[in-house]
Amino acid sequence: MGAWSGFGITFRTMFRKTFTQGYPEKGKEKVMAPRFHGRHQLNRWPDGLEKCVGCELCAWACPADAIYVEGGANTEDERYSPGERYGRVYQINYLRCILCGMCIEACPTRALTMTNDFKMADTSREKLIWTKAELLAPLVAGMEQPPHPRRLGDSEKDYFLGLPATGKPDTRTAGTKEGH
């Protein structure tokens, strides 16, 4: 009896439509869950500076050794991030990446996040090694292409503890929870 029930499940699913039928026509694309782990993105501050400070924690946390980061020093004449350092070279090898999200958990500045984009297939192995230019979030209105001086405050503390003005610093102390 067990073999027949297994065949019944197989028979029912053989004729079910999949989300790939009719793809890539518009309106037929699969909507992914909000927490889906897709393509990576390097984020920016509202003034356009990069959030990545070149600490390499994402590379150390990656179990597949898919991330390569080289840090560089910021100067007053050439500033790419609000901190002392920035990610001068940043690469993710999607041939190795298992899209686990360990790298985004390790990032102390939330510079690296994962989008819902799952379309990463390409025609050669070289094109699957994404560089910093491909991973950086696009500039939007109000942002300026780095390098440029800090616009959101005089120090990196201004960036990390409350700016832009809509944010507020975390004033809770260890061992306490709001609302309890």
Side-chain angles (χ1 to χ4, degrees):
M1 188 66 180
W4 288 108
S5 63
F7 181 71
I9 293 171
T10 302
F11 191 73
R12 279 195 310 269
T13 58
M14 280 175 34
F15 302 106
R16 186 174 17 181
K17 289 186 177 184
T18 64
F19 82 91
T20 57
Q21 286 180 335
Y23 180 83
E25 298 164 8
K26 290 290 181 193
K28 302 272 185 181
E29 292 186 14
K30 174 89 170 157
V31 177
M32 305 310 287
R35 293 184 58 183
F36 174 77
H37 287 183
R39 178 183 72 76
H40 295 81
Q41 176 174 292
L42 285 171
N43 297 311
R44 298 177 184 267
W45 291 102
D47 63 353
L49 289 178
E50 301 165 9
K51 285 189 174 184
C52 180
V53 294
C55 67
E56 302 177 25
L57 287 175
C58 54
W60 294 339
C62 181
D65 197 26
I67 301 175
Y68 176 72
V69 181
E70 274 183 27
N74 279 314
T75 63
E76 290 307 318
D77 297 331
E78 200 168 322
R79 176 166 299 284
Y80 292 91
S81 75
E84 295 176 8
R85 294 169 36 104
Y86 71 100
R88 188 175 62 78
V89 176
Y90 201 102
Q91 295 177 346
I92 297 181
N93 185 342
Y94 280 109
L95 295 168
R96 289 184 175 183
C97 181
I98 58 175
L99 302 170
C100 65
M102 297 290 286
C103 53
I104 62 171
E105 296 297 328
C107 185
T109 61
R110 292 289 292 155
L112 187 65
T113 55
M114 296 178 94
T115 66
N116 283 348
D117 185 15
F118 61 92
K119 300 176 192 173
M120 295 181 285
D122 221 317
T123 56
S124 71
R125 297 175 64 86
E126 293 83 26
K127 292 179 182 176
L128 290 171
I129 300 174
W130 287 41
T131 62
K132 180 179 172 179
E134 296 165 305
L135 294 167
L136 265 174
L139 293 169
V140 296
M143 290 184 175
E144 181 183 347
Q145 179 69 41
H148 63 76
R150 295 180 183 115
R151 305 276 191 246
L152 300 179
D154 296 331
S155 70
E156 57 190 280
K157 185 176 180 181
D158 292 336
Y159 279 78
F160 299 130
L161 294 180
L163 284 178
T166 57
K168 65 178 186 177
D170 187 0
T171 56
R172 294 175 292 173
T173 58
T176 64
K177 291 184 180 178
E178 280 186 12
H180 293 277

